[in-house]
C-alpha cells in the first residue's frame, strides 16, 4: 500500500511555494481507508464513502407554514373581507379524512398536510390566524383581502426532491448532514474507516507530564498531546506511541514496528540538521524521505516520506511550527488519505487593526484574533509574541493572520486574509 508515490517529494532545491506543495499533495495522495457501514446517528465527523440519494420528497406533502386557516385563494375577494364557513380541522400528523371543497375554510396548524380537493387541487393558501376574525363558536371566519395563492404554504419537495443527491461521497458529516440524512429516512451510512495515525515525540529532553519530576535540562512534551488532539479532530484513530530518545537504534525499531499498524506516522522534533536529529537518516535508510522547505513562516523544513507502506510526516520540534505544519501541509494529506474531498482552508478578508514593518520573502502566518469591527468590517489583531516556541500565542489567538510574502509594511486599515482555527483544524 503505497500512499505517496515515491517521486512525490523530489522537489528542486531552495524554497517551495505553498501552492506548489499543496498541488503536489493533491495530485499524489490517494485515499487508503476501507469502508464500513455505521448508524447515521454515529456519523458525526465521519467521511461519507457513498453518494446519498433521496427516495422521498421533503416535505412529503404540501403543508401549512403557519397556524391559521387553509382556503382556496380564488374564494376570497381581492378588495374586501370575505366570510367563509370553517368546516374542518387539520392538525400536524392528522390529515383531513376527506377532500376539501371550494367555498370552505379549514382550521389548520403548522406542519399539517394541506388536503387535496374534490375535483383536483385543494386549498392553495393559508391565512395566519392573527389576520382572521372568528365568529360564533368558530364555525364562521372573516378573511382579509389581498391573500394570494401559495401564501404560507410549504410545497411538497421544496427542500429535497425524490431522486436528488443530497450528500456526496467525500463529505464530512456535521450535525446538519446527519439531520438531512435523517430527514430522507436514511438509517445507516457507508463511511471511510478512520485513518490510523501513530504519533511520536522525539528528543532526550522531552518528558511525559506523568513524570512529575522534570530533570535539569528537560521540558514537558507539549507536541504529542497537541498533535494527537489535532488528528482526532481530523477524524483519525490515533495511537499514542510515546517519546523516543535521540537514539538511532531505538528510533529505528519503534518506527518499523509502528509502520505495520498505522497508515501514517507523525513525529515531532529531530528532523533538522543537528547531530542529534536522527529521524531523517533513519527514514532515508529504511524508506524514503524528502524535505520540503516552504516559503512560509514559521517554517522549518517538513519531512515527508514513506516507511514500510506507511506515510511519514516529520513535524518541526517547536510547538507552534509543529501546529502550523500539521495544519498547512499534513492536514490536506491526511484528509485526502482519509477519503475527504473538501480540504481547502478558507480565508476571510478583514481589516488590520495594527501596523507592522517586516522583511519581504515569506508568506507568514501570525497568530491573531478576528474581532467585530465598530460598525465596519471585522478587525484583526496580532499577538505580541510571535516566536515559534510561544505556544501561548496559539491559545490567545483564534486564527492566523496571513501576511503575503512580498509585503514589507502593513498599516491600520489594510485588508488581510484571516484563517480561523476552527475551520483550519477540522
Ligand atoms: P528539534 O527539532 O528536535 O531540534 O527541536 C526544536 C525545538 O523544539 C527544541 O527547542 C526542542 O526542545 C523543542 N521541542 C521538540 N519537541 C518538543 C515537544 N514534544 N514539546 C515541546 N517542545 C519540543
Ligand atoms: Mg530534538
Amino acid at each position: 500500500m503505497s500512499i505517496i508515490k515515491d517521486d512525490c517529494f523530489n522537489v528542486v532545491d531552495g524554497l517551495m511555494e505553498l501552492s506548489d506543495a499543496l498541488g503536489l499533495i493533491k495530485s499524489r495522495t490517494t485515499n487508503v481507508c476501507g469502508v464500513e457501514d455505521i448508524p447515521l446517528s454515529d456519523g458525526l465527523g465521519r467521511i461519507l464513502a457513498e453518494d446519498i440519494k433521496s427516495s422521498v420528497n421533503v416535505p412529503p406533502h404540501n403543508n401549512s407554514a403557519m397556524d391559521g386557516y387553509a382556503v382556496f385563494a380564488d374564494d376570497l375577494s381581492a378588495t374586501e373581507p370575505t366570510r367563509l364557513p370553517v368546516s374542518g380541522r387539520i392538525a400536524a400528523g392528522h390529515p383531513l379524512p376527506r377532500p376539501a371543497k371550494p367555498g370552505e375554510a379549514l382550521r389548520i396548524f403548522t406542519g399539517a398536510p394541506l388536503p387535496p380537493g374534490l375535483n383536483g387541487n385543494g386549498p392553495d393558501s393559508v391565512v395566519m390566524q392573527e389576520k382572521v376574525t372568528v365568529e360564533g363558536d368558530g364555525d364562521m371566519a372573516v378573511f382579509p383581502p389581498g391573500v394570494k395563492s401559495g401564501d404560507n404554504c410549504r410545497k411538497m419537495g421544496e427542500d429535497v426532491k425524490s431522486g436528488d443527491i443530497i450528500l456526496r461521497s467525500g463529505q464530512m458529516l456535521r450535525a446538519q448532514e446527519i439531520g438531512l440524512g435523517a430527514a430522507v429516512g436514511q438509517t445507516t451510512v457507508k463511511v471511510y474507516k478512520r485513518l490510523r495515525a501513530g504519533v511520536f515525540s522525539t528528543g532526550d529532553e522531552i518528558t511525559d507530564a506523568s513524570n512529575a519530576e522534570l530533570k535539569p535540562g528537560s521540558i514537558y512534551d507539549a507536541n504529542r498531546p497537541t498533535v494527537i488532539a489535532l488528528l482526532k479532530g481530523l477524524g483519525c484513530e490515533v495511537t499514542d506511541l510515546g517519546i523516543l530518545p535521540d537514539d538511532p537504534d531505538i528510533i529505528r525499531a519503534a518506527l518499523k514496528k509502528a509502520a505495520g499498524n498505522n497508515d501514517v506516522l507523525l513525529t515531532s522534533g529531530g528532523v533538522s540538521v543537528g547531530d542529534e536529529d536522527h529521524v531523517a537518516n533513519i527514514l532515508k535508510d529504511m524508506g524514503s524521505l524528502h524535505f520540503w522547505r516552504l516559503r512560509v513562516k514559521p517554517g522549518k523544513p517538513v519531512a515527508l516520506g514513506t516507511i514500510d507502506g506507511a506515510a511519514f510526516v516529520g513535524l518541526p520540534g517547536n510547538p507552534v511550527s509543529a501546529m502550523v505544519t500539521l495544519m498547512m501541509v499534513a492536514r490536506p494529506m491526511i484528509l485526502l488519505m482519509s477519503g475527504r474531498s473538501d480540504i481547502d482552508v478558507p480565508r476571510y478578508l478583514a481589516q488590520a487593526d495594527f501596523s507592522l514593518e517586516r522583511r519581504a520573502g515569506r508568506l507568514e502566518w501570525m497568530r491573531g484574533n478576528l474581532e467585530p469591527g465598530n460598525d465596519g468590517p471585522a478587525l484583526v489583531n496580532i499577538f505580541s509574541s510571535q516566536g515559534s516556541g510561544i505556544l501561548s500565542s496559539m491559545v490567545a489567538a483564534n486564527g492566523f493572520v496571513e501576511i503575503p510574502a512580498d509585503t514589507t509594511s502593513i498599516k491600520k486599515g489594510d485588508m488581510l486574509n484571516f484563517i480561523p482555527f476552527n475551520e483550519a483544524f477540522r
Side-chain angles (χ1 to χ4, degrees), residues 11-17 20 292-296 299 361-362:
V11 176
V12 288
D13 288 1
L15 298 178
M16 198 201 296
E17 300 300 330
D20 290 341
W292 284 3
R293 280 183 177 279
L294 304 181
R295 196 183 298 286
V296 298
R362 289 171 183 241

Side-chain angles (χ1 to χ4, degrees), residues 248-259:
D249 292 335
I250 297 179
I251 297 175
R252 188 176 299 115
L255 288 177
K256 200 164 175 55
K257 186 166 174 226

Side-chain angles (χ1 to χ4, degrees), residues 189-205:
V189 279
K190 203 173 283 306
V191 296
Y192 290 110
K193 289 185 179 163
R194 292 182 188 278
L195 189 76
R196 297 166 307 159
V199 179
F200 293 102
S201 288
T202 72
D204 283 346
E205 78 281 29

Side-chain angles (χ1 to χ4, degrees), residues 367 382-387 393:
R367 273 71 70 207
I382 50 170
F383 191 64
S384 56
S385 180
Q386 294 284 335
S393 70

Side-chain angles (χ1 to χ4, degrees), residues 317-351:
N318 279 309
V320 175
S321 304
M323 285 191 85
V324 170
T325 307
L326 177 51
M327 174 181 125
M328 292 303 191
V329 183
R331 175 187 173 275
M333 192 181 107
I334 283 167
L335 293 183
L336 288 171
M337 289 175 72
S338 305
R340 194 114 150 233
S341 55
D342 56 323
I343 62 164
D344 289 331
V345 165
R347 285 144 167 93
Y348 302 98
L349 270 181
Q351 203 171 56

Side-chain angles (χ1 to χ4, degrees), residues 50-69:
E50 61 177 350
D51 290 348
I52 306 248
K53 192 181 203 175
S54 177
S55 57
V56 298
N57 289 304
V58 181
H61 43 252
N62 296 336
N63 69 96
S64 176
M66 292 278 178
D67 291 340
Y69 293 82

